[in-house]
Amino acid sequence: MGTSMLGAVVVGMGTAGWVRIRDMLAPLPGSPAEKLSVRGFISRRSLGTQQGVSQISVEEAVNREDIHVAFICTENESHEDNIRTFLQAGKHVCVEYPMTLNYKAAVELWDLAQEKGLILHEEHIELLTEDYKEIQREVEGKILQEGTLHFTGGAVKPQFGFPAFTGIARLTWLVELFGELSVTAAAIEEDSSNNYSKLTAKLKTSENKPLRWIEERGPGLPRGRNINFHFDSCTLTQIPSVPKGAVGLFMQDLTHFSAKLVGQVSSKELQKEKIRILHCLKLAERIKQLCQS
């Protein structure tokens, strides 16, 4: 791609969209993110100018030759259509997780990206946190016997999608830590009048060791992850408390995405990431099927 700037549009102006613009306006010095130049944002609301950036229409963004990249930061239910629109227009795409709310669509979108020679990137800032890196170090070389990951958090709106998809960050943790998984059972308890839901999924590793994932959300529930990983040699019951890294998580993700755009990430790495993302979405789909059957 040479040294020319890559023009970007941000779609959706919630917290994530706002952060994406902020980070592109002041990227990490010396990082490939310096190649990105934000040319506009898209919102259903009429917002005028944000952080000095103009609001533009989807039609303009799709047709402009100085826009090469789209950041999709809308509600989850509109991710799929937005990704498709921009890939079809020949733009690279960075999307906040979950990229879609069903597995089949995700496969189609990856195929489309590959057919057009475009980068498709699903943000996973949970893999960039210092506490995750610490857990990764603790888990390395140990043999899992059984484990539980229990997430709690505030209520989310229904249009964010089924909890197995909205909580795909937790599933991604488990897959990154313990390899390919399969679903053995899943159930959900819901109290919609109180906006409460509790998803319980039973998983197993390729060595047939059981893992349980609980995703519990409701008004006033504190945001947190509780773990209990039982290994051959020890038990890990607490997420290590480590200081935050110097570089913000979204900035780290932006740098990683930009590295792909400028060809600094090997095709082997890209393929590995794609396989993991699709594996997690397939697990989410299976969990949803079991809960609804």
Side-chain angles (χ1 to χ4, degrees):
M1 277 190 188
T3 53
S4 57
M5 293 299 279
L6 295 168
V9 62
V10 172
V11 187
M13 276 305 286
T15 312
W18 200 90
V19 167
R20 291 301 189 184
I21 290 179
R22 181 198 71 192
D23 287 354
M24 277 190 277
L25 291 174
L28 205 58
S31 80
E34 289 187 313
K35 288 267 190 290
L36 289 167
S37 170
V38 58
R39 309 254 194 244
F41 72 87
I42 294 167
S43 176
R44 284 181 320 223
R45 298 166 292 160
S46 184
L47 295 173
T49 302
Q50 296 283 313
Q51 303 180 69
V53 177
S54 308
Q55 181 160 359
I56 62 176
S57 68
V58 174
E59 195 179 15
E60 182 182 338
V62 160
N63 290 310
R64 267 173 68 171
E65 287 183 13
D66 67 339
I67 291 180
H68 312 92
V69 181
F71 287 83
I72 312 297
C73 312
T74 59
E75 292 93 345
N76 296 340
E77 61 178 1
S78 357
H79 284 179
E80 180 189 329
D81 288 345
N82 276 300
I83 297 169
R84 190 174 286 109
T85 297
F86 285 96
L87 287 177
Q88 276 170 342
K91 318 292 187 192
H92 302 285
V93 171
C94 171
V95 62
E96 313 303 334
Y97 76 77
M99 61 180 283
T100 59
L101 295 172
N102 72 83
Y103 172 68
K104 187 170 157 284
V107 173
E108 285 168 9
L109 293 172
W110 278 103
D111 287 348
L112 180 60
Q114 278 184 315
E115 178 193 313
K116 290 189 166 276
L118 295 165
I119 295 291
L120 175 55
H121 171 88
E122 185 185 42
E123 162 268 311
H124 277 285
I125 55 172
E126 77 283 358
L127 298 177
L128 306 173
T129 62
E130 295 305 311
D131 53 5
Y132 172 73
K133 291 173 196 165
E134 192 56 40
I135 289 182
Q136 220 179 5
R137 283 191 282 269
E138 300 239 6
V139 165
E140 211 171 332
K142 297 192 174 85
I143 297 160
L144 182 78
Q145 300 304 317
E146 60 177 318
T148 300
L149 170 58
H150 183 169
F151 173 86
T152 57
V156 287
K157 300 186 189 102
Q159 66 263 36
F160 275 80
F162 190 78
F165 286 93
T166 55
I168 205 141
R170 268 66 71 189
L171 210 42
T172 306
W173 258 36
L174 293 174
V175 167
E176 278 287 294
L177 290 171
F178 303 115
E180 202 172 300
L181 303 174
S182 52
V183 186
T184 55
I188 189 163
E189 301 165 42
E190 286 175 298
D191 175 359
S192 44
S193 60
N194 288 312
N195 222 343
Y196 172 85
S197 72
K198 183 180 182 180
L199 169 73
T200 304
K202 291 181 178 173
L203 309 157
K204 65 176 188 193
T205 66
S206 54
E207 281 81 43
N208 282 323
K209 302 298 184 188
L211 273 172
R212 200 165 48 135
W213 168 35
I214 302 165
E215 183 84 3
E216 187 177 13
R217 282 188 172 274
L221 281 179
R223 188 177 173 88
R225 292 180 177 86
N226 295 297
I227 57 168
N228 194 317
F229 297 145
H230 179 59
F231 299 99
D232 52 342
S233 54
C234 67
T235 301
L236 196 56
T237 57
Q238 243 176 333
I239 292 187
S241 61
V242 282
K244 280 191 170 144
V247 180
L249 299 175
F250 276 98
M251 186 66 91
Q252 290 182 49
D253 179 69
L254 183 69
T255 304
H256 182 44
F257 173 55
S258 311
K260 295 178 180 179
L261 295 176
V262 299
Q264 289 176 8
V265 180
S266 71
S267 53
K268 190 179 160 196
E269 273 303 299
L270 291 173
Q271 185 62 14
K272 200 177 135 197
E273 205 173 313
K274 172 192 167 176
I275 288 168
R276 186 208 71 219
I277 287 169
L278 288 176
H279 179 57
C280 290
L281 287 163
K282 195 173 190 175
L283 292 173
E285 179 95 359
R286 183 74 190 119
I287 289 168
K288 183 181 176 180
Q289 284 168 349
L290 288 169
C291 286
Q292 292 178 344
S293 62

